[in-house]
Amino acid sequence: NLTVNKKRFVIRIVLLLLILAFACFLFRIGKEHEVLLDNKDVSIAGTDYKAAEYMRVRINGSEESEMEFYAGDRDVVKLKGPSHSIKVTVLEEDTEKVIKETEQKFNFGTESRLMISLPALAQGAANVYLPLPSQQDTQDAENKKEEAKEEAAETAAPPIE
């Protein structure tokens, strides 16, 4: 009787672990990612990337997902699943002549929101990720505060004795 109870207990534990593993698998393949695609001048890790005047972006090779970007544009796309490919084609606007074409594969993992620099992607950079706008605004505000403090310290009159 004791061995039957042990077997049942082990079977229940194994089934519970299988259900948990299946739930994690479903979470990973069904996770939606909000990806901001940014075509603005940017500096990443000390390298400057200039925004392309005109480009087309295709997600996962699908013609339905093709988007056009002009310099300064930013757009958002929602993608499901962990792995995706983004193909950037830089074109001459008038003649539609291809200047440069690059494709890169991404694995977004469990990230919900992220931003990708299209100029960096077009140049084949290894790091194409940018801070999200809310994070960037916070960093800019902190940098301005520091600059203001430094400027105030430089312009402050020496104490009168």
Side-chain angles (χ1 to χ4, degrees), residues 52-56 68 89-101:
E53 291 301 317
Y54 178 66
M55 70 170 59
R56 287 197 188 129
E68 293 181 346
T89 307
V90 179
L91 305 160
E92 283 185 18
E93 186 177 357
D94 299 330
T95 62
E96 302 239 344
K97 179 184 171 193
V98 176
I99 297 171
K100 188 167 195 160
E101 194 169 70

Side-chain angles (χ1 to χ4, degrees), residues 15 33 40 88 101 103 106-107 109 111 126 128 134 147 160:
L15 286 174
H33 309 278
K40 296 180 181 176
V88 174
E101 194 169 70
E103 185 169 6
F106 293 92
N107 188 343
E111 287 289 325
V128 296
S134 59
E147 288 173 10
I160 301 173

